[in-house]
């Protein structure tokens, strides 16, 4: 597992904790792979009945680690998204109850992944932001499909297109 992802089993619950406080839990390719692996390996384990994803240090996640993506593109000429895609497939194919525990900021993929969860616990300091348009990007993780279905067209538009924080 990645150094910044701690995976434990507490009873019948798989706990996945992002632990990269110096970068506000910004997700690297290695972390994407580790989180995806933790979700995938829970699928065929009858002892695991629930999965919880959490951040730490008052931050769920600052989203993609842009520096990690840029460094990858310098090495290969194009960014490698295979581990990020792996996580997205893992979220979409997951059949076990998936819970997110959000404290502090959830930015970009940190917000988009929540729409794949069965339940989201948000602390009083939780904020949700999808700054895709500010970076000239399209929403990821099926956010443009799932957000309007979950929260209504107007709120989803305000977050996805206008970049408003909730």
């Amino acid at each position: 597992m990645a150094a910044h992802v701690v995976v434990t089993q507490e009873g019948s619950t798989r706990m996945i904790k992002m632990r990269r406080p110096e970068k506000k839990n910004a997700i690297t390719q290695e972390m994407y792979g580790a989180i995806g692996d933790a979700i995938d390996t829970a699928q065929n384990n009858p002892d695991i009945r629930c999965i919880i994803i959490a951040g730490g240090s008052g931050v769920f996640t600052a989203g993609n680690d842009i520096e990690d993506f840029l460094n990858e593109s310098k090495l290969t000429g194009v960014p490698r998204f295979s581990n990020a895609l792996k996580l997205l497939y893992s979220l979409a194919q997951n059949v076990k109850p998936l819970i997110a525990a959000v404290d502090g900021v959830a930015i970009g993929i940190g917000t988009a992944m929540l729409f794949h969860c069965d339940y989201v616990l948000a602390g009083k300091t939780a904020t949700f932001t999808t700054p895709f348009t500010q970076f000239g990007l399209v929403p990821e993780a099926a956010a443009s499909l799932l957000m309007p279905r979950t929260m209504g067209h107007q709120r989803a538009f305000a977050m996805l297109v206008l970049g408003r924080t909730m």
Side-chain angles (χ1 to χ4, degrees):
M1 291 290 157
H4 299 294
V5 176
V6 178
V7 180
T8 59
Q9 189 164 331
E10 298 176 18
S12 59
T13 302
R14 162 80 36 104
M15 293 290 300
I16 304 168
K17 297 178 185 175
M18 295 175 277
R19 292 290 183 253
R20 194 173 177 222
E22 71 280 4
K23 293 284 189 171
K24 298 189 183 226
N25 295 333
I27 305 173
T28 63
Q29 284 296 313
E30 182 183 18
M31 291 171 70
Y32 275 119
I35 296 167
D37 285 343
I39 293 170
D40 290 346
T41 57
Q43 301 308 303
N44 295 324
N45 185 338
D47 294 334
I48 297 173
R49 299 180 60 202
C50 176
I51 303 167
I52 298 176
I53 300 176
S57 305
V59 175
F60 184 65
T61 178
N64 286 315
D65 184 326
I66 303 299
E67 186 176 350
D68 182 62
F69 277 84
L70 290 174
N71 288 339
E72 182 66 31
S73 66
K74 287 177 187 174
L75 294 174
T76 63
V78 293
R80 175 180 54 97
F81 298 112
S82 59
N83 285 340
L85 289 174
K86 177 188 181 358
L87 173 61
L88 297 179
Y89 284 122
S90 297
L91 289 169
Q93 300 298 317
N94 174 55
V95 296
K96 302 227 173 167
L98 182 61
I99 299 170
V102 181
D103 184 31
V105 297
I107 300 173
I109 186 66
T111 294
M113 75 167 57
L114 300 176
F115 291 93
H116 293 274
C117 295
D118 297 295
Y119 194 70
V120 177
L121 294 166
K124 291 181 180 184
T125 63
T127 58
F128 307 91
T129 308
T130 55
F132 301 115
T133 56
Q134 287 95 323
F135 293 113
L137 302 171
V138 295
E140 58 203 356
S144 59
L145 172 72
L146 298 174
M147 286 178 77
R149 287 182 178 180
T150 305
M151 61 193 308
H153 178 76
Q154 287 80 10
R155 283 188 181 157
F157 184 87
M159 286 189 74
L160 290 171
V161 178
L162 302 177
R164 296 217 175 116
T165 299
M166 184 169 93

